[in-house]
Amino acid sequence: MKLLPQLQKHRQTLIVVVGSLIVLATIGQYGLRWQAGYQILMLVASLIGFLPIGLQAWSALRVKVISIDLLVSVAVIGAVMIGENNESAIVTFLFLLGAFLEQKTMEKTRSAIGTLTQMAPAQAILITESGHQTIDIDDVDPGDVMLVKTGGQVPVDGHIVKGSGYVNEASITGEAKPMHKGVGEQVFAGAILDNGTLEVAAEKVGEDTTFGKIIELVEEAQDAKSSVERLIDKFATYYTPIVLVIALIVGLMSRDVRLAITILVLGCPGALVIGVPVANVAGVGQGAKQGILLKGGEVMATFKHVDTFVFDKTGTLTYGRPKVASVKTYGQDEATMLAAVANIERESDHPLGQAIIAYAPAVKQTVTDTQVIQGKGVVANVDAVPYLVGNSALMRQFGVALNQSQQYDLKALQDTGHSVVLVATGAQLQLIIGIKDQLRPEVPESLRQLRQMGAQQLIMLTGDNQVTADQIGLAAGLDTVQGDLLPEAKADYVRQLQAQGHVVAFVGDGINDSPSIARADIGIAMGSGTDVAVETSDVVLIQSNFRQLVVAFGLTKKTVANMQENIGLALATVALLFVGLVLGQVNMGSGMFVHEVSILLVTVNALRLLAPKQKLDDRQLQVADRQLD
Amino acid sequence: MEKAILQLGALTCPSCMQKIEHAVANQAGVNSVKVLFNASKVKTEYDDQLTSADTLKTAIEQLGYDVQNVKVKAI
C-alpha cells in the first residue's frame, strides 16, 4: 500500500505521461497508419492512468465507501475488455487532469483562511533561568513567561509581568490604533508589539487563545453545511452505488457493455456535490479576509432572509465611549486651550479626560502644581498660566462667573445629554466642552443601504432612557426606538417579532446582549473578538466599523446566490448529458470531458466571490464625518 | 483519553472525507472523529490505552493521504 502515496506525489508526471502517450498513439495512427502501435500505446496509457484511480477505489472499498474512483475504475476495465483502449485512456487522462485542476482551483478558494492561519504565532521566546530560548509555540505551557520584543508578535493570551509598550491588536479586536499597555494588563496572541519590550505570563496557549478560537471558528464555518448541502451529501452517498447498480442492470439487459460503461462515467456525481461547498468556502473566506466571521452555510441561508434588524445602542450604533462632541470658545485660541487641557488630563485616568486627549492637538507644554479637587476638577499651571478644568462647582469655588450666553450654552449642552467640562484661566471662562457617546458617522448611510438590500424594519432597543434613545433613533434613521429595557426584555421583544413572522437579526456587542443574540434568528456581535462573542453569535464583525454589517449582509446574499447558480449549472450539466445519451451523441470520453468542465465551471464561479472588494477611501469617510458635524 | 489534531495535505474530493472518517472511526478505541474538509484537518478523540496518534496517522497514510503534522493533547 506504500505505492499510493508515491503515485499521489508524482501525479503531475503521471498526467504528462498519459497525455503524451495518447498524443503519440494518435500521431502513430493518423500519421503512420500504425494501427497495432496505436492500440498498444493507448493500452499502456490506460493502465498507467488506471493505477492511481484503481488504488484509490480499492482503498475506499476497504473502508466500505463506494467512491467515484470505483465508477471510473469499473468503466475503464470494461472499456479495455471490449477493446476500446482509446476511450479508456482518454477517460483516465481527463479524470486525473480534472482532479489536479480541481485541487489547484480549490486551493485558491481556501487561500483566505490560509492567510489567517499564517498570522498565528509559530514561535515564542521562553524566559528561563539560564536565559532566553526560542521554542515552538506548541511547547509553551500556561504559566511560562515569554519575551516579546519590538516588532514581535505576542505568542499567547496572558498578562504583562514586566515592561510596557504599544500593542496593536487589530487582528483580534479590530482596533487599528496601537494601545499602550503596562504591567498587569491583558495581551492577546496574534497582537503585534509596535514598540517596547514585554514579558508576558501565558494564560492560554494555541487553540485556546482568542485568536486560535477565531481561526478554529472560520475553519469549522467553511465546513458547516446548510440543510440543502446535507441533503446533497446524503444523496451523493446513495447515488454512487445506485449508478453502479443501474449500469450493471442496463449492461445485463441490453447486452451493451459500451452503454453500461458510458452510464458509469456520466453518473459520476461531480458539480452537484462540489458546487455548494466551494461557494461556501469562498464566501466564508472572503468574509474572514475582511474581518467578518460568518459561521457557515446554514447561517448564510438564514441571514439572507432577514427582514428585521434589531440593534443595541451603546457600542453598536454609538462608539460606546465618550467623545468630544462640541466645543464652545469664549477666548482667543481654542487649539492652545484644548492642548493645555489635554496635557493636564494626561495625568489622570478620567474617561472625560481621555476623550479630550483624543480630540485635542498634541503640543508640548509644561504642567506644574497640579491639584485635584475631589468631585470638582483639577487646578494646574500650564507653561506658568493657571488653569481651572472641571464642573460648574469648581468655577463657583474659584469665583469664575458665567455670563448669560455662556449659561445658555451650558444648559443647552446638558439638556441634549452631554457631559460638560468647563475651562478657565484666572477668572475668565475660556471653553465649554460637551462630551457624549456619539452615533457612529457611518450609521445613517449604512442603515439606508440595509433597507435597499431588503431590510424592512430597523429597530433599536436600549437600556438607556427614552429621551436619549429617541435622539439617536432620529439621527440614525430608525423605524422604532425602545428605551428603558433590561437584557431579558430585549430578548422578549425579539421573540415577539419572531412570533409576528419576522426573520430577525440582532446586532450587539456580544457580551451583555447574549440573550438577544442567542434568541434572534441571526445573532451578530460587533466590534469585539472576545471568546463569548465568537462562541454565541452567528456572525462576528471583528472591526468596530458599522459598514461591516452592510458588507456581511451583501456577501451573504452573493454567496447564497452563487450556491444557487452552482446547483443550476450542475443540474443543467446532468440534463445535457442525459439528453446527449438518449440521442446517442455522448460517449465515455466526451462524457468525462463535460463532467470535468462542469466541476471547473462551478469552482471558477465560486472564485468570483474572492475578487477583492472596493474599499471606501479616506476622503469619502471624511466627507461623511463632516456631514454629521 | 487523548485528543489529536492531524493536519493533512490538501483534501480535494468530498469522498476523501468519508474514507478518512471511516478509516479512523474503525480503529479500536476511537470515540469521535471529525474531518474538516476545507482545513484538511482530522480532529479525533480516543482512548490512549487502546490506540495512539501514531496508529491513526498510519491508518490515514495507508489510504494515500500524507499527514503533515500531529498535535496531541491529553483530556
Side-chain angles (χ1 to χ4, degrees), chain A residues 1 4-5 8 56 59-60 62-65 67-69 102-103 106-107 110 138 207-208 216 219-220 222-223 225 237 273-274 281, chain B residues 3 5 7 10-15 17-20 22-23 26 34-41 43 61-65 71 73:
Chain A
M1 260 307 172
L4 194 46
Q8 294 276 13
Q56 280 280 10
S59 78
R62 292 207 324 169
V63 288
K64 302 187 191 75
V65 173
S67 61
I68 306 177
D69 312 85
E102 262 166 58
Q103 185 183 345
M106 210 116 148
E107 276 169 15
R110 292 169 176 165
D138 293 330
E207 311 216 325
D208 297 327
E216 196 179 352
E219 282 180 354
E220 303 222 346
Q222 294 196 314
D223 278 356
K225 293 186 161 83
T237 35
V273 181
I274 208 84
V281 173
Chain B
K3 180 182 173 182
I5 299 173
Q7 176 69 56
L11 297 179
T12 45
C13 55
S15 69
M17 263 178 83
Q18 291 177 21
K19 276 198 266 179
I20 296 169
H22 277 85
N26 285 344
K34 188 171 174 190
V35 181
L36 293 178
F37 177 56
N38 287 296
S40 308
K41 275 184 185 173
K43 294 186 177 180
E61 282 172 342
Q62 276 179 352
L63 290 177
Y65 302 98
K71 283 183 189 174
K73 216 161 57 177

Side-chain angles (χ1 to χ4, degrees), chain A residues 16-331:
Chain A
V16 175
V17 169
V18 175
S20 319
L21 283 172
I22 292 174
V23 172
L24 270 180
T26 315
I27 294 173
Q29 187 196 22
Y30 290 103
L32 308 169
R33 308 264 160 212
W34 188 33
Q35 197 57 37
Y38 174 74
Q39 286 298 338
I40 290 167
L41 284 175
M42 282 298 196
L43 181 64
V44 173
S46 301
L47 290 178
I48 295 175
F50 173 74
L51 210 57
I53 304 171
L55 282 173
Q56 280 280 10
W58 174 240
S59 78
L61 257 188
R62 292 207 324 169
V63 288
K64 302 187 191 75
V65 173
I66 293 180
S67 61
I68 306 177
D69 312 85
L70 187 67
L71 295 189
V72 177
S73 300
V74 174
V76 168
I77 294 172
V80 170
M81 273 168 45
I82 58 168
E84 294 282 359
N85 295 349
N86 58 331
E87 293 260 328
S88 60
I90 288 169
V91 164
T92 56
F93 173 70
L94 286 174
F95 188 71
L96 288 174
L97 181 67
F100 174 72
L101 292 177
E102 262 166 58
Q103 185 183 345
K104 287 294 154 201
T105 44
M106 210 116 148
E107 276 169 15
K108 273 239 164 62
T109 64
R110 292 169 176 165
S111 59
I113 169 74
T115 328
L116 192 67
T117 318
Q118 277 156 21
M119 275 162 60
Q123 287 186 327
I125 306 170
L126 179 70
I127 300 176
T128 61
E129 282 168 20
S130 53
H132 300 159
Q133 191 190 346
T134 302
I135 59 172
D136 195 90
I137 194 71
D138 293 330
D139 297 330
V140 180
D141 291 316
D144 286 351
V145 177
M146 323 305 306
L147 178 72
V148 189
K149 294 189 214 164
T150 298
Q153 203 177 24
V154 178
V156 293
D157 279 6
H159 63 271
I160 301 172
V161 290
K162 200 175 158 194
S164 69
Y166 281 88
V167 184
N168 185 334
E169 294 183 336
S171 58
I172 307 106
T173 63
E175 174 64 60
K177 207 167 138 191
M179 282 192 304
H180 187 263
K181 294 213 173 182
V183 172
E185 286 188 270
Q186 177 87 32
V187 285
F188 295 98
I192 308 285
L193 184 62
D194 274 8
N195 67 55
T197 305
L198 304 179
E199 288 183 15
V200 177
E203 273 149 26
K204 288 177 181 168
V205 181
E207 311 216 325
D208 297 327
T209 62
T210 302
F211 191 63
K213 286 216 171 107
I214 291 178
I215 292 178
E216 196 179 352
L217 170 92
V218 175
E219 282 180 354
E220 303 222 346
Q222 294 196 314
D223 278 356
K225 293 186 161 83
S226 64
S227 40
V228 180
E229 230 176 318
R230 277 196 294 271
L231 191 74
I232 294 176
D233 271 10
K234 206 169 213 169
F235 168 74
T237 35
Y238 295 109
Y239 178 78
T240 324
I242 287 173
V243 169
L244 201 60
V245 172
I246 290 177
L248 195 70
I249 293 173
V250 169
L252 286 176
M253 288 187 31
S254 67
R255 297 273 155 200
D256 185 348
V257 181
R258 242 188 111 78
L259 180 66
I261 58 181
T262 307
I263 289 175
L264 277 180
V265 170
L266 298 194
C268 288
L272 195 58
V273 181
I274 208 84
V276 176
V278 288
N280 188 37
V281 173
V284 170
Q286 171 67 295
K289 229 163 57 174
Q290 304 189 51
I292 298 164
L293 310 185
L294 292 159
K295 286 197 190 169
E298 189 71 68
V299 164
M300 287 195 270
T302 313
F303 193 12
K304 177 187 181 284
H305 293 295
V306 164
D307 57 16
T308 304
F309 281 85
V310 179
F311 302 94
D312 173 43
K313 180 177 83 71
T314 313
T316 306
L317 293 173
T318 69
Y319 284 103
R321 52 175 191 272
K323 285 203 160 211
V324 172
S326 155
V327 180
K328 306 277 180 204
T329 312
Y330 309 104

